[in-house]
Amino acid sequence: MSDSTLAGQFFDAAIGLLERVRDEESGSIAAAGAAIADTVASGGRLFAFGAGHSSLAAQDVVYRAGGLALMNLLAVPGTLGVDVMPATLGSALERVDGLAGAVLDSSPARSGDLLVIISLSGRNALPVEMAQNARALGLTVVGVTSVAYAEATKSRHASGGFLRDHCDIVLDSKIPIGDAELTAPGVEAPFAPASTVVTSAVMQAMMAAAAEALVARGIEPPLLRSGNVDGGHEWNGRVMTQYADRIFYRH
């Protein structure tokens, strides 16, 4: 039964976006999962990066129960979200030229690894340069972005390009420009963003595709269990020991 409340309308909008991504991006999600499986099987390491609220979806697949133990957060200081003061500093840092290169050069990322870059607009210098530099280093780059921005806004990078222009695989979150699903009388600005819901779902679908691809190759996916279930800590200890040279959030 349809719910006419604003809360119900948001659920309907989010579900509609999830259905679109499921139906229209299935090939790209499968390709990203296969690329992750290739990296795991060949001894490579996995990284995820996002700035601002896009970092939430990156964090959601790192050290996560039910997630791949090999996924590491590639952090850029000051850009993870509202953990800096003023919070607007994070937005400003996304537009700083050269920051991505400095971060990659000092990170453990190397040729043969895979990096997932999440950026809703994909128009700022940080995600664009992160993708450019990562590919130059020999990493496979998966971009999770809204293609709508690339089609209707201008890049803020000197090249004029967007994140989608510098990725091996692009996953379109279908989020509309402005990232707000609702409008209502008496509310002066659009509201109720769905990008976190949809992008996190894309990331988890990608992880599921990777697990499926690994099993098809006869490789047990290096998954973590919840530490709040019996035996979870022991399981995770074994996985982290086995893959210690590819896990960087413990060091």
Side-chain angles (χ1 to χ4, degrees):
M1 186 170 62
S2 179
D3 184 343
S4 62
T5 67
L6 289 175
Q9 289 177 36
F10 174 74
F11 278 113
D12 288 343
I15 290 168
L17 284 164
L18 289 168
E19 289 178 338
R20 279 193 65 197
V21 172
R22 178 196 64 196
D23 296 342
E24 298 172 19
E25 296 298 303
S26 60
S28 296
I29 289 171
I36 290 171
D38 286 343
T39 305
V40 172
S42 63
R45 293 84 61 80
L46 307 174
F47 298 89
F49 165 76
H53 287 93
S54 292
S55 74
L56 297 175
Q59 294 177 58
D60 195 41
V61 294
V62 177
Y63 187 48
R64 181 65 192 260
L68 289 173
L70 274 59
M71 184 61 75
N72 301 277
L73 186 67
L74 184 64
V76 177
T79 67
L80 283 182
V82 294
D83 59 332
V84 293
M85 291 291 288
T88 51
L89 174 62
S91 298
L93 288 172
E94 289 187 60
R95 305 180 191 183
V96 174
D97 293 333
L99 182 56
V103 168
L104 273 172
D105 287 346
S106 61
S107 79
R110 66 190 185 193
S111 180
D113 293 346
L114 180 142
L115 172 61
V116 182
I117 300 175
I118 305 164
S119 175
L120 180 61
S121 73
R123 67 190 298 222
N124 290 312
L126 185 56
V128 174
E129 291 184 359
M130 189 72 77
Q132 287 179 320
N133 282 274
R135 292 181 86 187
L137 287 172
L139 278 75
T140 298
V141 176
V142 177
V144 182
T145 188
S146 170
V147 171
Y149 280 86
E151 295 176 342
T153 68
K154 292 184 178 179
S155 170
R156 290 179 175 143
H157 187 247
S159 69
F162 286 76
L163 170 61
R164 73 165 187 176
D165 301 318
H166 302 285
C167 298
D168 298 289
I169 301 167
V170 177
L171 280 64
D172 182 5
S173 64
K174 316 294 181 181
I175 300 296
I177 294 174
D179 191 18
E181 296 301 318
L182 303 181
T183 58
V187 183
E188 294 301 317
F191 58 102
S195 61
T196 303
V197 173
V198 175
T199 305
S200 289
V202 168
M203 294 296 289
Q204 295 299 345
M206 191 192 313
M207 296 301 106
E212 184 176 22
L214 284 166
V215 169
R217 301 168 194 217
I219 300 171
E220 181 181 351
L223 296 169
L224 297 173
R225 291 180 179 267
S226 172
N228 295 314
V229 299
D230 292 343
H233 285 300
E234 292 77 12
W235 172 281
N236 292 342
R238 288 193 297 269
V239 172
M240 289 182 179
T241 297
Q242 182 179 352
Y243 292 97
D245 60 332
R246 299 158 76 178
I247 295 173
F248 301 102
Y249 49 80
R250 298 188 73 198
H251 303 163

